[in-house]
């Protein structure tokens, strides 16, 4: 079962992913100030140990990179900058795992602790071991940000695995659930294995020779300590997002069939409407923006995973008629609902 998307507002993650993208663009002559535009960050913040960033900031920088990059393979190159040390405590726990099975179990269970741009699942089917990924920054597979996040993740996974198991580590095959981009040849050059597109899953397949390989510095006591601290961090995540995250969770979890006006939401949260507006503005958003984001996410999930008609989805999302929903969906994704479902 797919996990709910992370809250996009909390500034709780280290900036290494943003720094990796900024570094690669700088190699190509793009100034960090351009890469970081509208993110609230500057180059000095990326070097400061106390800096923490949100998913909204990561998405902003990734979109800037899509617009500014002269090399379409920039995400693949940036992911290669994600060495083991970029993952902090999470990387420390992986390195000290006593077996590969323990490392893989930990990687999946505590993935959200290190601010990933894609969720991970470990799968074994007919003796073939693989990792499957779902992009987190956008639910829309047609959004270029979706592919950018997965390219970054594929390359980062390879870089991390080589630090864990040795420089000769390689994937048996990479499979992508999207069409081959124009820069598809760069995948093989960066990832060093066969790559297939238009597949059922975004998947990294592991060769049999690596199934039993042990991480290079196993230490049971160190791994146990790091695991415990990562668990504490994950337990605190639901409480770290501020009012915007609270509103989003309330809309998704408690009111999926009736989207209230802001005064009703404020009453639910024991706030005055103007207080709620002020708190949301302080986080750089509004009730209208959050409501549109939730509707967009649910609409895409309904089209992907159910057989509900456009009229039924429009009603479920609180639209007065299906035409209004269709107009909104085209604005969000560039496609009509029936086109998106067919794609």
């Amino acid at each position: 079962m797919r996990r709910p998307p992370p809250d996009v507002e909390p500034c709780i993650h280290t900036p290494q992913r943003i720094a990796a993208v900024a570094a690669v663009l700088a190699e190509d002559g793009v100034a960090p100030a351009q890469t970081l535009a509208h993110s609230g960050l500057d180059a000095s913040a990326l070097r400061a140990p106390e800096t923490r960033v949100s998913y909204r900031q990561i998405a902003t920088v990734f979109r800037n990179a899509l617009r500014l990059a002269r090399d379409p393979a920039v995400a693949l190159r940036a992911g290669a900058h994600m060495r083991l040390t970029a993952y902090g405590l999470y990387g420390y726990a992986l390195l000290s795992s006593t077996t590969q099975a323990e490392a893989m179990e930990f990687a999946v269970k505590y993935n959200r602790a290190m601010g990933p741009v894609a969720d991970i699942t470990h799968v074994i089917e007919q003796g073939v071991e693989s990792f499957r990924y779902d992009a987190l920054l956008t639910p829309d597979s047609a959004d270029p940000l979706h592919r950018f996040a997965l390219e970054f993740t594929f390359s980062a996974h390879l870089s991390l695995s080589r630090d864990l198991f040795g420089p000769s580590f390689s994937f048996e095959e990479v499979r992508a659930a999207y069409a081959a981009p124009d820069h598809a040849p760069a995948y093989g050059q960066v990832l060093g294995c066969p790559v297939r597109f238009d597949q059922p899953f975004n998947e990294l397949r592991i060769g049999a020779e690596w199934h039993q390989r042990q991480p290079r510095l196993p230490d049971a006591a160190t791994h146990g300590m790091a695991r415990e601290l990562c668990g504490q961090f994950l337990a605190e995540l639901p409480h770290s997002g501020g009012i915007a995250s609270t509103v989003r969770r309330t809309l998704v979890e408690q009111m999926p069939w009736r989207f209230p006006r802001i005064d009703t939401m404020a009453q639910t949260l024991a706030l005055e409407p103007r207080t709620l507006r002020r708190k949301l503005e302080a986080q750089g958003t509004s009730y209208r923006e959050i409501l549109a984001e939730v509707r967009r996410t649910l609409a895409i999930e309904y089209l992907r995973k159910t057989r509900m008609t456009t009229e039924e989805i429009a009603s479920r999302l609180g639209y007065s008629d299906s035409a209004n929903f269709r107009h909104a969906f085209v604005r969000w994704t560039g496609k009509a609902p029936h086109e998106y479902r067919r794609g």
Side-chain angles (χ1 to χ4, degrees):
M1 181 178 178
R2 188 170 182 172
R3 299 171 65 187
D7 292 331
V8 299
E9 310 296 345
C11 293
I12 54 177
H13 302 295
T14 57
Q16 274 84 354
R17 287 162 188 78
I18 290 176
V21 170
V24 169
L25 285 172
E27 291 172 2
D28 295 344
V30 179
Q34 292 180 274
T35 305
L36 301 175
H38 311 298
S39 70
L41 300 166
D42 58 24
S44 64
L46 300 185
R47 296 189 295 269
E50 69 274 11
T51 297
R52 294 295 181 271
V53 301
S54 68
Y55 272 109
R56 188 179 296 281
Q57 290 171 304
I58 295 173
T60 296
V61 172
F62 280 18
R63 288 198 186 279
N64 288 345
L66 281 163
R67 176 174 51 84
L68 295 167
R70 300 163 189 174
D71 177 6
V74 63
L76 290 165
R77 290 169 55 203
H81 283 239
M82 295 294 292
R83 305 299 301 273
L84 181 72
T85 51
Y87 297 91
L89 189 64
Y90 180 89
Y92 198 40
L94 287 173
L95 186 63
S96 58
S97 300
T98 57
T99 64
Q100 184 178 130
E102 185 175 64
M104 290 183 172
E105 181 269 337
F106 177 87
V108 173
K109 184 174 182 178
Y110 295 97
N111 183 50
R112 287 279 180 100
M114 52 93 178
V117 294
D119 263 341
I120 185 174
T121 306
H122 181 225
V123 179
I124 300 177
E125 289 183 349
Q126 298 179 341
V128 177
E129 190 166 350
S130 67
F131 288 99
R132 291 178 183 171
Y133 280 107
D134 286 307
L136 291 173
L137 297 182
T138 172
D140 182 3
S141 59
D143 187 337
L145 180 63
H146 183 273
R147 190 199 70 233
F148 189 99
L150 288 166
E151 289 178 345
F152 184 96
T153 298
F154 293 158
S155 182
H157 191 135
L158 178 61
S159 181
L160 174 62
S161 295
R162 286 179 172 170
D163 282 344
L164 286 174
F165 303 114
S168 61
F169 178 91
S170 63
F171 300 126
E172 182 176 81
E173 185 178 67
V174 172
R175 297 185 174 189
Y178 47 84
D182 291 341
H183 61 283
Y187 280 66
Q189 296 167 10
V190 174
L191 301 176
C193 67
V195 181
R196 298 171 64 188
F197 297 92
D198 292 314
Q199 298 300 302
F201 305 102
N202 299 298
E203 189 173 46
L204 304 177
R205 294 198 159 201
I206 311 299
E209 68 273 21
W210 295 101
H211 286 189
Q212 303 302 321
R213 189 67 61 94
Q214 182 175 274
R216 293 198 285 178
L217 294 174
D219 186 292
T222 298
H223 178 80
M225 176 200 68
R227 175 184 285 264
E228 182 178 353
L229 291 172
C230 284
Q232 291 174 6
F233 180 79
L234 277 183
E236 293 167 1
L237 277 182
H239 311 291
S240 59
I243 192 65
S245 296
T246 300
V247 169
R248 188 176 295 103
R249 279 198 304 273
T250 302
L251 286 170
V252 172
E253 296 174 3
Q254 299 181 20
M255 303 177 178
W257 293 279
R258 56 185 183 92
F259 293 98
R261 298 170 60 88
I262 189 170
D263 52 349
T264 305
M265 176 60 73
Q267 184 178 8
T268 300
L269 302 178
L271 295 170
E272 291 293 326
R274 75 176 121 186
T275 302
L276 178 56
R277 286 192 184 92
R278 188 173 64 251
K279 286 177 175 288
L280 291 173
E281 287 173 2
Q283 288 194 258
T285 189
S286 68
Y287 185 69
R288 182 177 180 179
E289 289 177 356
I290 294 173
L291 180 56
E293 178 188 326
V294 169
R295 278 174 159 165
R296 175 178 180 270
T297 299
L298 290 177
I300 287 172
E301 291 298 298
Y302 290 147
L303 288 168
R304 289 177 59 196
K305 298 180 179 179
T306 77
R307 295 187 178 182
M308 285 194 292
T309 65
T310 299
E311 290 73 19
E312 289 170 333
I313 295 173
S315 175
R316 181 72 62 93
L317 297 179
Y319 286 92
S320 57
D321 59 62
S322 57
N324 286 339
F325 166 62
R326 282 194 290 269
H327 291 320
F329 196 84
V330 170
R331 189 171 65 251
W332 295 332
T333 68
K335 293 184 178 181
H338 71 279
E339 293 174 327
Y340 188 90
R341 173 172 272 163
R342 188 169 62 240

